[in-house]
Amino acid sequence: MIRIIGTETACGTTSGAASNFNKTKAVRLFNSGTAVHLVTLEKANGTDIGTISLNAKASVVLRKSSTDKIFAANVAVLGAPVAFHY
């Protein structure tokens, strides 16, 4: 289970617009669009850690370091800071 700890917002679409989502260690991503979109996780300095493709209308919770940032190929990808609730 997850606990919502912030407001859902559109992901930035460039490395320069990437967000660390208030330095949370987990982000729920939702692709509100009708196409698959690429999501990139990067270090605070802009070095890519990895990418995933997020299907249309799909969601995933991505664990990350507090300083890692996320951006997506399209603003249809929304992110919300979350925490794990056990």
Side-chain angles (χ1 to χ4, degrees), residues 9-32:
T9 59
C11 290
T13 58
T14 64
S15 177
S19 175
N20 63 21
F21 289 90
N22 298 323
K23 296 192 174 186
T24 58
K25 292 187 178 182
V27 177
R28 178 190 179 265
L29 298 168
F30 173 68
N31 180 357
S32 65

Side-chain angles (χ1 to χ4, degrees), residues 2-86:
I2 59 172
R3 181 171 44 103
I4 300 167
I5 56 175
T7 303
E8 184 175 67
T9 59
C11 290
T13 58
T14 64
S15 177
S19 175
N20 63 21
F21 289 90
N22 298 323
K23 296 192 174 186
T24 58
K25 292 187 178 182
V27 177
R28 178 190 179 265
L29 298 168
F30 173 68
N31 180 357
S32 65
T34 58
V36 174
H37 293 301
L38 190 69
V39 176
T40 302
L41 177 66
E42 66 181 17
K43 294 181 181 182
N45 67 6
T47 302
D48 287 357
I49 295 170
T51 61
I52 59 169
S53 294
L54 190 57
N55 284 328
K57 308 302 180 194
S59 66
V60 65
V61 175
L62 183 67
R63 291 186 82 145
K64 63 182 206 54
S65 295
S66 61
T67 57
D68 292 345
K69 296 179 179 182
I70 295 171
F71 69 96
N74 190 286
V75 295
V77 179
L78 308 174
V82 297
F84 289 98
H85 182 72
Y86 299 100

